[in-house]
Amino acid sequence: QVQVEESGGNSVQTGGSLRLSCQVSGAPYDLYCVGFFRQAPGKEREAVAAINTHYDTTFYGDSAKGRFNISRDGGKAIVWRRENMFSLQMTNLKPEDTGMYFCAAARVSDCGRLSADQYNSWGQGTQVSVSS
């Protein structure tokens, strides 16, 4: 059974940086897409970033472009393992980045769709709070 666990959420001031981590484990085969989503109170879940783990290509939601970077620890050269680590480096954080951040994984190829309904394995979330 695939397990997803994110960590690294914290409270920071505007302009600060955070690095979220996501561990994906237990998959007996490659999970081609790993993504980060966020949800603020009263709002729908929003795609932040995704990575195609086979080609190491990355995709970003409009609010994340130029400020966030998703990566796979070890890079493309690392074959899929029973435990795989991913990171979301967030810089120049703004109050509107506040929310619960979720990591998700799926065995689909079209990571660029950045759609939550593609993903069937989710973490419990980690809170990010950005104060002005």
Side-chain angles (χ1 to χ4, degrees):
Q1 183 177 353
V2 177
Q3 293 183 322
V4 180
E5 183 174 5
E6 58 281 273
S7 61
N10 210 331
S11 297
V12 297
Q13 292 187 329
T14 297
S17 299
L18 278 176
R19 187 179 184 89
L20 304 184
S21 296
C22 174
Q23 178 174 290
V24 181
S25 59
Y29 40 70
D30 288 9
L31 294 177
Y32 299 144
C33 292
V34 173
F36 280 90
F37 294 78
R38 69 186 182 193
Q39 189 164 19
K43 294 188 177 181
E44 294 186 355
R45 192 165 293 191
E46 172 190 12
V48 176
I51 183 168
N52 180 308
T53 65
H54 192 63
Y55 296 105
D56 214 33
T57 49
T58 57
F59 308 90
Y60 297 93
D62 288 341
S63 63
K65 290 177 182 176
R67 299 188 298 129
F68 296 1
N69 183 69
I70 187 172
S71 62
R72 180 179 178 183
D73 295 5
K76 180 182 177 182
I78 303 298
V79 299
W80 188 264
R81 299 170 170 168
R82 294 292 290 184
E83 291 186 358
N84 303 271
M85 294 297 297
F86 299 85
S87 297
L88 180 70
Q89 179 68 46
M90 304 186 293
T91 62
N92 191 21
L93 284 163
K94 306 174 182 179
E96 51 264 42
D97 293 317
T98 294
M100 186 70 76
Y101 282 67
F102 299 89
C103 184
R107 187 173 170 82
V108 295
S109 58
D110 189 11
C111 306
R113 274 186 57 203
L114 292 172
S115 176
D117 61 15
Q118 294 178 283
Y119 294 83
N120 51 11
S121 297
W122 290 84
Q124 294 299 308
T126 187
Q127 179 68 37
V128 172
S129 298
V130 185
S131 59
S132 57

